[in-house]
Amino acid sequence: MAELTYRDAVSRGIAQELANDPNVVFLGEDVAGAGGVFKATTGLLEAFGPKRVRDAPISEQAILGAAMGAAMTGLRPIAEIMFSDFLAVCWDIIANEIAKSRYMTAGQMSFPLVIRTANGGGSRFGAQHSQSVENWAMAVPGLKVVAPSTALDTIGLLAAAVRDPDPVIFFEHKSCYPMKFDVPDHDGDIVDELGTAKVVREGTDVTIVALALMVHRALDAAERLAGEGISAEVIDVRSLVPLDTATILGSVAKTSRLYTVEENPRLCGWGAEIASIVAEEAFWDLDGPVIRITTPHVPLPAADSLEDATIPSVERIVETIAKTAPN
Amino acid sequence: MAELTYRDAVSRGIAQELANDPNVVFLGEDVAGAGGVFKATTGLLEAFGPKRVRDAPISEQAILGAAMGAAMTGLRPIAEIMFSDFLAVCWDIIANEIAKSRYMTAGQMSFPLVIRTANGGGSRFGAQHSQSVENWAMAVPGLKVVAPSTALDTIGLLAAAVRDPDPVIFFEHKSCYPMKFDVPDHDGDIVDELGTAKVVREGTDVTIVALALMVHRALDAAERLAGEGISAEVIDVRSLVPLDTATILGSVAKTSRLYTVEENPRLCGWGAEIASIVAEEAFWDLDGPVIRITTPHVPLPAADSLEDATIPSVERIVETIAKTAPN
Amino acid sequence: MTTMPSYSEYGNHDPVLPDPVDPANAELPIDVDTRLTLFRLQQEIRLFEKRAYDLFLRGLVKGTSHLSLGQEAIAAGFGAAMRPDDWTFATYRGHAHTLARGVPMTPVLAELLGRANGLLGGKGGSMHLTSVEHGVMGSYAIIGAHLCVANGAAWTAQYNDTGQVAVAFFGDGTTNIGAFHEAVNFAKVWNLPTVFVCENNLYMEYTSIGHVAPVPNPAADRASAYGLESIVVDGNDADAVYTAAIAALDTARNGGGPSLIEAKTYRHGGHSRADPGKYRPDEEVAAWMDRDPIPMYHQRLLGLGVDEGRLSAIATQTAAAVETATQEAIDGPLPDLASIYTDVWADGGWQWRN
Amino acid sequence: MTTMPSYSEYGNHDPVLPDPVDPANAELPIDVDTRLTLFRLQQEIRLFEKRAYDLFLRGLVKGTSHLSLGQEAIAAGFGAAMRPDDWTFATYRGHAHTLARGVPMTPVLAELLGRANGLLGGKGGSMHLTSVEHGVMGSYAIIGAHLCVANGAAWTAQYNDTGQVAVAFFGDGTTNIGAFHEAVNFAKVWNLPTVFVCENNLYMEYTSIGHVAPVPNPAADRASAYGLESIVVDGNDADAVYTAAIAALDTARNGGGPSLIEAKTYRHGGHSRADPGKYRPDEEVAAWMDRDPIPMYHQRLLGLGVDEGRLSAIATQTAAAVETATQEAIDGPLPDLASIYTDVWADGGWQWRN
Ligand SMILES: Cc1ncc(C[n+]2csc(CCOP(=O)(O)OP(=O)(O)O)c2C)c(N)n1
Ligand SMILES: Cc1ncc(C[n+]2csc(CCOP(=O)(O)OP(=O)(O)O)c2C)c(N)n1
Ligand SMILES: [Mg+2]
Ligand SMILES: [Mg+2]
């Protein structure tokens, strides 16, 4: 059992995949020489050389275009987009090209590529460097969407993403980078499976579905709710596409109450999708309203005091559930 | 009472606003000299001159940047992005700049601008020229989002959008352009109100919520359902942000059953948002599952036979409701 | 006082007339077989597209379509010059480039008709023609993106040291979009074997390029911004295009990095099927019709002593091929509706949940 | 054989040394009052930013922050040259440009500390400084966009014929992004009064611009692509910057259209607070520290016969202003949490539903 930060898990995951397959290549801005602005890719250039780990100009469209063209011709690129907010400058390549080209060409091409990006708030960076935009990616057919909450999941899901034959948008949470996690000793590569949610805490009264940083808050909230006599089951969604609805519906069948905890702003978030699936398919299981706990539908403010009061907090989760759940 | 196409309603709406306020200006690709590739802006150059109606290079970021900078300094620009799919090439300007700058500057700036764009399928243009992406815009705090279904609404909502002090993304439906509508004679300008849904057909058994082209299909479906003894109320949402939840919740309180008919692909659509609102706030009103009828979560195929079977059709709406609704 | 640029009236701007043909191009060291290939490719594209246009008029082609009538020499010149394992990246105006790489007519035409025997089973349509087997790595309908994508294929060639080259075609209007800048710059910085070919047909959709670009040669005048040579060729002369193509492909293959070529040309019809092209001065249209690449090339070959019979045989064979393709396309069945749900993912399906 | 460009080791590339100061700049026809303003502005920015850095170290500035230490002459040169009603568009590295337009220190510093008396009430932070009242039309943290936005303000000036000019500042690395190309091109096509100022400090974040741009002057060498003149100035010499600014502003004001200016400079510290800047060759850092714009300008003024007393008085006043601002910022209250829900819309609120 070793202790590993989420940040180091990223570089370990990339290193594992570079070692595993000579067709895996990695590119991005300041990722090689500098080891990444979050220091999540240090050592890769030294270990794998400039042919496989390559710095790019500030040209996100060119970066993802290169990843796409390389993928269709046999490489397996990992591309970094420094902050997920910047997906907006290359959204055409992602949403219109990478996502659709396999379908449009009737399967002539494959796009085994991964776009890694730093997502989420908590760093006091303001509205243009703190967004949670996993719902943007989920809304586009043809993209797989993953967001790990722990170091082990980061390695395993990143490996699964790299080995997957389809394009995966891989959201790393900025506020998780410094977190430390136990990673069990392991023989050989760590490879997880896309499309699998995890019940990270069992419970019987309510189901809380969360993602990335929010998983940790949901777990803390569940602990506090236990003190108030509410038994909460917590599910780490991990993969928005493919989505493990079976695990979610299974839990709701047991608890009859669903809460989602989302960092993305309220409208059209992944929580709305899951709430809608449950409201359609598990309607008769439900004993009460489906409640979404989200960042309000505002851009994120920069000041620490304001940011902390905007993103869902443990307190807000506890209060919302305590106020509305049966116990 | 005059007959007007939806296409001509666009140019009439723009002309009305150019005439109403000398600060209104209009720019886009091929919009001036050519009158627009959909011929929805013909005659404007001739009527208002090249200073107010201006052709731009193929530079969507520059176009929307110009609109944004002009809006913050006192003009009221209307910018055309030819197809809504192309919002992806300028998504940064929309989602990160226009949407957030008022908030980030604590209200120092206003962005009274309208981005008009041709949305939706039915033209056999394939996956990159047929998308319905109103949900992309709805997901971003700071944007207002409007999508008219008739000629009268097009004029009135476009006018309301131009006169609104906030940025509005105005989705015109390509398949509506050739449709003819009666427009009542009217003294003075036609100006509607954002954030107001319309009950376009009253009914008692089920509520169908639809947008743009889907409103017409929902109305046809309601007619056919009436023949099967199901009384459907049809709501034209018209404005996704602000959203007239009162009208929707009011209808559900009456019918106890909600169906959404969406052209955007299934995941994280506006239907998911409305379904989630209802599943939370009108849970006790509901007599059965909330059902979303959507384009499946695939890119759109080009062939006419395939496209028609992908986007929600009258038949699919009727069948889905007939199979699941009480009567 | 700030002033607006003077606004020349729509359809009434100064005509842009073609340069006279350079007689030296007849002397270029190109063997007769290659020249016959160039002739045949131009014929095939011309007759195919005329037929495609007829089929629009008959209501058989349902979506939009963008023809290269008048621009065939460019696709032909590159088609003849490229190695079979080189890669083409085309735009929505991609019929010509698809055929020029050897893709048979039937699946291309059937795709335009939305049939199951279409190149993409009807899922892509006219704007997205792709045949990986022939190195046609897609036709892209949103301006600019594919220039970036072409670099990725070039990167694979560089990574695997295969000597393959990625060639991306695009229009004059495309030089104004950000992705153009990023792509050409990136190719140079990474020294990639990418050849960027601007088909300058003087118009974006309906707006004269002179209204929306501040330099007379929208691609060539920007080459120096990327440390590249400025190259302008006569895009209506297949020999000139072929020669420039060979040079750029060689440079790329040999580690010399990217090139940016501007080929001057003109489309005979409108931008797309919806467009009658009325914004073009009559005199301009007439002058360019006189510079039609195909009769011109026909004359050149005769002048070089090629037998008229060989040329008319090519024309006849091509016409027959177009007939066959027409029949096979029209006879093609409609796609199975189940195909809506295939090929989102590499496993062949579309499932996004369990 | 295709080859990769040779890879010079990180932090070990050839140092890029500054040119010697051009003594002719001392002779530029700039009056003493203006020169004193230039001196004062540089002092203010320097002392303010040093204090901001101290406050990071004390943990009072919570987010990130990008300093202009070493680059002050550019902001000062333009600040002194611009008309009060001209518009500035800055980047995340925007403290200098904000102060140079006359925005008081207290609200700027309070914003960095996330206080209610901050320029944006704490909602924007260091990267988004804005003061419409002073013509500071925003600081933008995503590369490229604001160049496009500046054109819009310039369009308003052109439309209303006010003679105002929009000035957009950006870095060398930014010249590689698509929005740069679109913006400069668009400004020229529309003949807008926009002045684009590239502060070439030789690095994007941590990567040398030489690694990622194929031309030695990433802005100036691209000017001709937009039909613009190539302009390089010494960005560490306030007089040179001021002179170039006046010329470009005059051109823009008088209907002559946009300019693109490249000012060569160097940042003394890292890219942002998180960065120790270790990727820069020692020799390079040392040479540029010797070219610090402030002592250099101090010497120039003494050489021009300005009394040392006047200069030290400016320094003293500035230091006092920084002390006051520090105290006022630290004493500032935290923002009201209700402000989370204000100013999404022009009505002051955030409601998206009824
Ligand atoms: C990003 C984007 N903007 C606008 C369009 C609409 N559009 C399609 S073709 C075209 C003109 C392209 O002109 P050019 O590059 O000269 O190519 P040509 O069509 O003349 O071959 C435009 C504006 C588009 N497809 N993508
Ligand atoms: C679109 C985008 N890509 C990447 C970044 C991350 N980033 C912030 S500053 C910077 C370097 C910018 O370099 P330059 O333009 O030279 O400006 P400087 O910071 O040196 O002033 C980068 C890559 C960003 N903010 N936006
Ligand atoms: Mg063209
Ligand atoms: Mg720099």
Side-chain angles (χ1 to χ4, degrees):
Chain A
M1 187 80 92
E3 221 185 35
L4 197 68
T5 60
Y6 185 97
R7 179 196 316 282
D8 290 339
V10 172
S11 51
R12 179 156 152 195
I14 301 173
Q16 173 186 294
E17 295 310 299
L18 284 165
N20 177 62
D21 181 348
N23 286 323
V24 174
V25 287
F26 175 46
L27 82 164
E29 294 163 18
D30 301 304
V31 297
V37 301
F38 297 106
K39 300 289 165 242
T41 61
T42 43
L44 296 173
L45 172 66
E46 293 70 14
F48 297 95
K51 189 177 168 191
R52 301 189 63 200
V53 177
R54 207 159 169 187
D55 278 321
I58 307 178
S59 303
E60 280 79 5
Q61 295 184 79
I63 290 170
L64 294 193
M68 176 177 172
M72 68 166 71
T73 49
L75 298 186
R76 300 184 88 90
I78 306 172
E80 173 174 313
I81 298 298
M82 201 182 282
F83 287 76
S84 64
D85 314 70
F86 310 164
L87 295 179
V89 302
C90 45
W91 195 237
D92 177 52
I93 309 277
I94 299 174
N96 289 329
E97 308 299 344
I98 290 173
K100 296 178 171 45
S101 290
R102 179 178 182 81
Y103 188 82
M104 293 193 300
T105 64
Q108 289 186 56
M109 291 173 171
S110 291
F111 299 95
L113 63 85
V114 177
I115 301 172
R116 294 179 40 243
T117 189
N119 197 46
S123 305
R124 292 76 176 91
F125 285 166
Q128 292 187 336
H129 280 69
S130 308
Q131 288 172 87
S132 292
V133 299
E134 59 276 8
N135 57 326
W136 294 7
M138 189 181 191
V140 177
L143 300 177
K144 294 182 176 175
V145 186
V146 174
S149 67
T150 69
L152 183 64
D153 280 6
T154 296
I155 302 172
L157 291 172
L158 186 56
V162 171
R163 296 175 192 205
D164 195 272
D166 293 309
V168 180
I169 320 290
F170 193 84
F171 290 97
E172 297 162 13
H173 201 294
K174 284 191 282 297
S175 288
C176 291
Y177 282 136
M179 289 185 186
K180 286 193 178 135
F181 296 89
D182 286 332
V183 173
D185 298 325
H186 197 279
D187 281 339
D189 289 350
I190 298 179
V191 187
D192 204 325
E193 201 182 330
L194 304 187
T196 54
K198 256 192 202 162
V199 177
V200 289
R201 177 190 174 109
E202 302 211 353
T204 52
D205 295 332
V206 302
T207 297
I208 307 177
V209 173
L211 191 79
L213 180 67
M214 293 299 116
V215 173
H216 304 293
R217 299 202 177 162
L219 283 169
D220 287 351
E223 197 58 40
R224 304 237 307 246
L225 287 165
E228 306 191 22
I230 298 173
S231 164
E233 178 143 307
V234 179
I235 295 176
D236 181 349
V237 186
R238 304 198 322 151
S239 171
L240 293 171
V241 180
L243 183 67
D244 182 359
T245 49
T247 296
I248 297 166
L249 292 169
S251 178
V252 172
K254 179 170 72 171
T255 64
S256 304
R257 292 300 296 266
L258 176 66
Y259 294 84
T260 62
V261 185
E262 289 172 83
E263 191 174 332
N264 53 211
R266 187 167 187 85
L267 301 191
C268 301
W270 59 259
E273 183 57 41
I274 288 176
S276 300
I277 291 171
V278 167
E280 174 164 352
E281 300 177 28
F283 181 78
W284 304 111
D285 287 336
L286 287 171
D287 278 351
V290 175
I291 293 177
R292 291 177 295 153
I293 300 163
T294 73
T295 293
H297 208 60
V298 302
L300 276 182
D304 50 345
S305 59
L306 296 177
E307 190 181 30
D308 286 341
T310 307
I311 296 172
S313 61
V314 176
E315 290 67 37
R316 198 192 312 163
I317 301 167
V318 170
E319 274 165 31
T320 307
I321 296 177
K323 211 166 56 196
T324 54
N327 71 335
Chain B
M1 186 82 89
E3 222 185 34
L4 196 69
T5 60
Y6 185 96
R7 180 195 316 280
D8 290 338
V10 172
S11 51
R12 179 156 151 196
I14 301 174
Q16 173 186 293
E17 295 310 299
L18 284 165
N20 176 62
D21 180 348
N23 285 323
V24 174
V25 288
F26 175 46
L27 82 163
E29 295 163 18
D30 299 304
V31 297
V37 302
F38 296 105
K39 301 285 165 246
T41 61
T42 43
L44 296 174
L45 172 66
E46 293 71 12
F48 297 94
K51 189 177 166 190
R52 301 189 62 199
V53 178
R54 207 160 171 186
D55 278 321
I58 307 178
S59 303
E60 280 80 4
Q61 295 184 78
I63 290 170
L64 294 192
M68 175 176 173
M72 69 167 71
T73 49
L75 299 184
R76 299 184 89 89
I78 306 173
E80 173 173 311
I81 297 298
M82 201 182 281
F83 287 76
S84 63
D85 314 70
F86 311 164
L87 296 179
V89 302
C90 45
W91 195 237
D92 177 51
I93 309 277
I94 299 174
N96 289 330
E97 308 299 344
I98 291 173
K100 295 177 172 46
S101 290
R102 180 178 180 78
Y103 188 82
M104 292 194 301
T105 64
Q108 289 187 54
M109 292 174 171
S110 290
F111 299 95
L113 62 86
V114 177
I115 301 171
R116 293 178 41 244
T117 189
N119 197 46
S123 304
R124 293 75 176 90
F125 285 166
Q128 293 186 336
H129 281 69
S130 308
Q131 289 171 86
S132 292
V133 300
E134 60 276 6
N135 57 328
W136 294 7
M138 189 181 190
V140 177
L143 301 177
K144 294 182 176 174
V145 186
V146 174
S149 68
T150 70
L152 183 63
D153 281 5
T154 296
I155 303 172
L157 290 173
L158 186 56
V162 171
R163 295 174 193 206
D164 195 90
D166 294 309
V168 180
I169 319 291
F170 193 84
F171 289 98
E172 296 162 14
H173 200 294
K174 283 191 285 295
S175 288
C176 291
Y177 282 135
M179 290 185 185
K180 286 191 178 135
F181 297 90
D182 287 332
V183 173
D185 298 326
H186 197 279
D187 283 339
D189 290 351
I190 299 179
V191 187
D192 204 325
E193 201 182 330
L194 304 187
T196 55
K198 256 190 203 163
V199 176
V200 288
R201 177 189 173 110
E202 301 212 353
T204 52
D205 295 333
V206 301
T207 297
I208 308 178
V209 173
L211 190 78
L213 179 67
M214 293 299 116
V215 173
H216 304 293
R217 300 203 175 160
L219 283 168
D220 287 352
E223 197 58 42
R224 304 236 307 248
L225 287 165
E228 306 191 23
I230 298 173
S231 164
E233 178 142 308
V234 179
I235 295 177
D236 181 349
V237 185
R238 304 198 322 151
S239 172
L240 293 171
V241 179
L243 182 68
D244 182 0
T245 48
T247 296
I248 296 166
L249 292 169
S251 179
V252 172
K254 178 170 74 172
T255 64
S256 304
R257 292 301 295 264
L258 175 66
Y259 295 84
T260 62
V261 185
E262 290 172 82
E263 191 175 332
N264 53 210
R266 188 167 186 83
L267 302 192
C268 302
W270 58 260
E273 184 57 42
I274 289 176
S276 300
I277 291 171
V278 168
E280 173 164 353
E281 300 177 27
F283 181 78
W284 305 109
D285 287 336
L286 287 170
D287 277 351
V290 175
I291 293 176
R292 290 176 296 153
I293 301 164
T294 73
T295 294
H297 207 61
V298 302
L300 275 181
D304 49 346
S305 58
L306 296 177
E307 190 181 28
D308 286 341
T310 307
I311 295 172
S313 61
V314 176
E315 290 67 36
R316 197 190 314 161
I317 301 168
V318 170
E319 275 166 30
T320 307
I321 296 178
K323 212 167 56 198
T324 53
N327 70 336
Chain C
M1 201 209 51
T2 50
T3 47
M4 284 185 46
S6 78
Y7 185 86
S8 53
E9 236 177 80
Y10 184 66
N12 200 13
H13 56 79
D14 285 342
V16 181
L17 305 181
D19 290 332
V21 187
D22 185 346
N25 292 347
E27 320 284 297
L28 286 167
I30 304 176
D31 62 46
V32 170
D33 277 357
T34 302
R35 281 190 150 123
L36 285 171
T37 300
L38 289 166
F39 179 75
R40 181 177 51 74
L41 288 173
Q42 293 182 83
Q43 279 290 350
E44 286 173 1
I45 298 167
R46 173 66 55 95
L47 298 185
F48 176 91
E49 291 215 301
K50 285 189 146 179
R51 176 56 50 88
Y53 190 71
D54 294 345
L55 296 175
F56 302 147
L57 296 182
R58 287 173 55 193
L60 283 162
V61 173
K62 301 282 172 40
T64 183
S65 218
H66 304 76
L67 305 179
S68 298
L69 293 171
Q71 307 186 188
E72 297 90 343
I74 299 167
F78 271 87
M82 287 168 76
R83 224 165 73 173
D85 62 347
D86 286 338
W87 293 302
T88 294
F89 290 82
T91 69
Y92 49 89
R93 197 182 302 288
H95 308 165
H97 296 292
T98 303
L99 296 171
R101 295 303 307 281
V103 179
M105 288 181 185
T106 296
V108 177
L109 200 55
E111 186 62 28
L112 270 55
L113 270 65
R115 303 303 166 103
N117 56 338
L119 194 57
L120 318 166
K123 289 168 91 161
S126 160
M127 297 204 285
H128 298 294
L129 300 176
T130 302
S131 178
V132 170
E133 182 191 344
H134 298 88
V136 181
M137 305 306 280
S139 300
Y140 298 77
I142 301 187
I143 298 289
H146 72 298
L147 306 180
C148 297
V149 181
N151 281 337
W155 179 21
T156 299
Q158 183 189 62
Y159 189 81
N160 293 328
D161 201 6
T162 62
Q164 287 162 286
V165 179
V167 182
F169 299 92
F170 59 100
D172 45 289
T174 299
T175 62
N176 290 329
I177 204 160
F180 162 82
H181 176 73
E182 291 195 15
V184 181
N185 190 61
F186 189 94
K188 180 66 178 173
V189 170
W190 278 33
N191 194 40
L192 296 174
T194 317
V195 177
F196 299 98
V197 185
C198 177
E199 305 189 46
N200 182 354
N201 61 10
L202 311 185
Y203 291 84
M204 41 183 279
E205 292 207 19
Y206 310 150
T207 301
S208 155
I209 188 68
H211 280 323
V212 289
V215 287
N217 304 299
D221 293 346
R222 286 161 171 160
S224 67
Y226 313 108
L228 297 175
E229 198 189 330
S230 176
I231 304 174
V232 177
V233 301
D234 182 345
N236 279 19
D237 187 328
D239 289 338
V241 174
Y242 174 80
T243 305
I246 290 285
L249 291 164
D250 276 358
T251 300
R253 258 189 246 303
N254 296 315
S259 298
L260 174 59
I261 295 173
E262 178 167 336
K264 301 278 192 194
T265 187
Y266 202 74
R267 56 173 150 73
H268 287 175
H271 167 74
S272 68
R273 71 182 266 226
D275 168 29
K278 286 294 171 215
Y279 40 82
R280 308 188 301 179
D282 293 342
E283 190 186 346
E284 181 183 282
V285 176
W288 283 92
M289 294 304 276
D290 276 354
R291 273 288 251 110
D292 186 332
I294 295 181
M296 210 175 83
Y297 204 67
H298 191 127
Q299 276 313 114
R300 161 123 9 115
L301 291 183
L302 296 180
L304 289 169
V306 176
D307 185 53
E308 165 75 58
R310 286 181 80 175
L311 300 181
S312 57
I314 289 174
T316 314
Q317 285 154 17
T318 303
V322 169
E323 285 312 329
T324 308
T326 306
Q327 212 44 62
E328 289 175 351
I330 291 177
D331 291 347
L334 292 184
D336 186 345
L337 294 187
S339 70
I340 292 169
Y341 302 97
T342 61
D343 286 324
V344 174
W345 306 128
D347 68 8
W350 76 298
Q351 289 303 330
W352 53 269
R353 58 172 287 187
N354 59 7
Chain D
M1 202 210 48
T2 49
T3 47
M4 283 183 48
S6 78
Y7 184 87
S8 54
E9 238 174 78
Y10 183 67
N12 200 14
H13 56 80
D14 286 342
V16 182
L17 305 181
D19 290 332
V21 187
D22 185 347
N25 291 348
E27 320 284 295
L28 286 168
I30 304 175
D31 60 46
V32 170
D33 277 356
T34 302
R35 282 188 149 125
L36 286 172
T37 299
L38 289 166
F39 180 75
R40 182 178 49 77
L41 288 173
Q42 293 183 82
Q43 278 290 351
E44 286 173 2
I45 298 167
R46 173 67 53 96
L47 297 186
F48 176 92
E49 291 215 302
K50 285 190 146 178
R51 176 57 49 87
Y53 190 70
D54 294 343
L55 296 175
F56 303 148
L57 297 183
R58 286 174 54 193
L60 283 163
V61 173
K62 301 283 172 37
T64 182
S65 218
H66 304 75
L67 305 179
S68 297
L69 293 171
Q71 306 186 191
E72 296 90 343
I74 300 168
F78 271 87
M82 288 169 75
R83 226 166 70 176
D85 63 346
D86 288 337
W87 292 302
T88 295
F89 290 82
T91 68
Y92 50 88
R93 196 182 303 288
H95 308 164
H97 297 292
T98 303
L99 295 172
R101 295 303 306 283
V103 179
M105 288 182 185
T106 295
V108 178
L109 200 55
E111 186 63 28
L112 270 56
L113 269 63
R115 303 302 165 104
N117 57 336
L119 194 57
L120 317 165
K123 289 168 90 162
S126 160
M127 298 204 285
H128 298 294
L129 300 177
T130 302
S131 178
V132 170
E133 182 191 345
H134 298 88
V136 180
M137 304 306 281
S139 300
Y140 298 76
I142 301 187
I143 298 290
H146 72 297
L147 306 180
C148 297
V149 180
N151 281 336
W155 180 20
T156 298
Q158 184 188 62
Y159 189 82
N160 293 328
D161 201 5
T162 61
Q164 287 162 286
V165 179
V167 182
F169 299 92
F170 58 99
D172 45 288
T174 299
T175 62
N176 289 329
I177 204 159
F180 162 82
H181 176 74
E182 292 195 15
V184 181
N185 190 60
F186 189 94
K188 180 65 179 173
V189 170
W190 279 32
N191 195 40
L192 296 173
T194 317
V195 178
F196 298 98
V197 185
C198 176
E199 305 188 46
N200 181 354
N201 61 10
L202 311 186
Y203 291 85
M204 40 184 278
E205 292 207 19
Y206 310 150
T207 302
S208 155
I209 188 68
H211 279 324
V212 289
V215 286
N217 304 299
D221 292 346
R222 286 161 172 160
S224 67
Y226 314 108
L228 297 176
E229 196 190 331
S230 175
I231 304 173
V232 177
V233 301
D234 183 343
N236 280 18
D237 187 329
D239 289 338
V241 174
Y242 175 80
T243 304
I246 290 284
L249 291 164
D250 275 357
T251 300
R253 258 189 247 303
N254 296 316
S259 299
L260 175 58
I261 296 174
E262 178 168 337
K264 301 278 193 194
T265 186
Y266 203 74
R267 56 173 150 73
H268 287 175
H271 168 74
S272 67
R273 72 182 266 225
D275 169 29
K278 286 293 171 217
Y279 40 83
R280 309 189 299 180
D282 293 342
E283 189 187 347
E284 182 184 282
V285 176
W288 283 93
M289 293 303 275
D290 274 354
R291 274 284 255 113
D292 186 331
I294 295 182
M296 212 175 81
Y297 204 67
H298 191 126
Q299 277 314 113
R300 165 135 349 126
L301 291 184
L302 295 180
L304 288 169
V306 176
D307 185 54
E308 165 74 58
R310 284 179 82 176
L311 301 181
S312 56
I314 290 175
T316 313
Q317 284 154 18
T318 303
V322 169
E323 285 311 329
T324 306
T326 305
Q327 211 45 59
E328 289 176 350
I330 291 178
D331 291 346
L334 291 183
D336 185 345
L337 294 186
S339 70
I340 293 169
Y341 302 97
T342 62
D343 287 322
V344 174
W345 306 128
D347 68 7
W350 75 299
Q351 288 303 329
W352 54 269
R353 59 173 287 188
N354 60 9

